[in-house]
Amino acid sequence: MNESLWLATAYPREAYPVVDGDLTCEVLVIGGGLSGLANAYFLAQQGKDVILLEKNTILHGATGNSTGKLTAQHDLVYADLIEQFDVESAKTYFNANENAIQFARSIADANEIQNAHSVLFSQSAEGTDLLLREKKAYEAIGIPFTLGGKAADLPFETSKTLRLENESQIHPVRFGQKLAQLAQKAGARIFELAQVAALDTDRHFVKLSSSKEIRYRQLIICSHYPIEALEGMQILKLDVERSYIAAAKTTTPFDHQYIAVDNPKRSIRTTTIDGQSYLLLSAESHPAGADKDTQIHYDRITDDLKTTLQHSDVVYKWSAQDPSTPDLVPYAGAISTASPDVYISTGYRKWGLSNSLASAQIISDAIVGRHNPASNLYSPGRTDFGALFSRALLLTGRTVKEFAGGHITRTDSPICTHMGCRTRWNKGDNTWDCPCHGSRFRADGSVLEGPATEPLNLN
Ligand SMILES: Cc1cc2nc3c(=O)[nH]c(=O)nc-3n(C[C@H](O)[C@H](O)[C@H](O)COP(=O)(O)OP(=O)(O)OC[C@H]3O[C@@H](n4cnc5c(N)ncnc54)[C@H](O)[C@@H]3O)c2cc1C
């Protein structure tokens, strides 16, 4: 399977223990990506007794497979936020993400974070119109910007650029490893190979697939996509989009990170890791599970890196997916008044590095009883999602089943264990992908990415 540049160049891996008995804590966090680790850190630092459970090893989910841009310039977003909400809300979103970047700078060193200007660029008249609409939104909100001509670093035709200065880029795995270390130092207990297979939000415990139970007062679900047991709750479906990234060796790192506002849609950055620089290109998006042959996307992105970006020494290729909410803003907070002790953090629309830190700030503030100016905007209760999710959690009992292993070759595709959709074989990654909610399974049927938690039946 393809591996991300970040996972391949992580710091030496710290092994976290497995759960070998029933446990109790104040705050239980599910998921060892940036969302879960940031929540664990913020809360442990404020004296909470925190346990974090990661079903695989930390940072191997979307976080370890992202592009690593840590910026409040989330593609075209501010004009749409003003249209859907208002200027004040768009400003709140900007400030929450800027504060997240400041926080990241305060804990990370030069191997984990660097400064970079964030640049939107257009390639067509329609794209330039979109860029100018976004510029107007920046003006209304008070976001400092520079409007410029062509993108100087890029070896293909561009029209206009909209630049936000002094944003950041991270090595998402090294940064996450630092956060995990700090969370642990502050007292958080991190466990790996600890898959939550059942929730009982009434009685405040979760059950692992190993049958161990963890009791909690507050639960934070940071599993990237709300987990399991939601049969019949199609309404909870979030759109999940998959994108591809390739990295080639380069000798000319940029000070800027770029994203196109029009087609061809490309997100571009460079990074220097241990003295070697790389150019990263992210492109080729499609609804998760919708494409049978993902090898085509890897081939196209590699060709584009070679021909358009003139970098032929492609050394890493990988892909990832991320869910979006209907209104561009993530869900972060208590899921509803009916389940005030259950918090969720999801729906980052491929901008979850700063948003996961912002969301963790919102959730940890709520748990310690501190006001956060972004909590209403990010509340899962602002749509039906929070209430429906809460109802689903209260209604669904679940029994834990042993996971079956063993890969068999087959011609028809197995049924996803989340909600029963037929999966599709992904030749590029050797995985079974579900087109309905984005679950992915390894060739042997074991779960690679949720929301499914149970393996495929390959018999
Ligand atoms: C191609 C691509 C590029 C991106 N680039 C950027 C970027 O440049 N900048 C940016 O801001 N954002 C980017 N994003 C978005 C960003 O990567 C994600 O939004 C963010 O990493 C999500 O973090 P997370 O902690 O919520 O999820 P994850 O990192 O996926 O972590 C969730 C964790 O939960 C664990 N888990 C799941 N179920 C269970 C269970 N039942 N029990 C225990 N553990 C469980 C998983 O194993 C996983 O480790 C990108 C996304 C994609 C798809």
Side-chain angles (χ1 to χ4, degrees), residues 30-36 53-56 61-63 65-69 194-196 222-224 227 243 245 282 320-322 348 350-354 453:
I30 304 176
L34 215 51
S35 302
L53 302 173
E54 164 54 48
K55 72 173 177 186
N56 295 320
T63 302
N65 288 289
S66 66
T67 320
K69 294 177 172 177
Q195 179 175 33
V196 174
C222 297
S223 54
H224 191 217
I227 48 174
S243 302
I245 306 176
S282 176
Q321 61 196 40
D322 215 26
Y348 299 130
K350 289 192 263 184
W351 295 105
L353 299 183
S354 58
T453 59

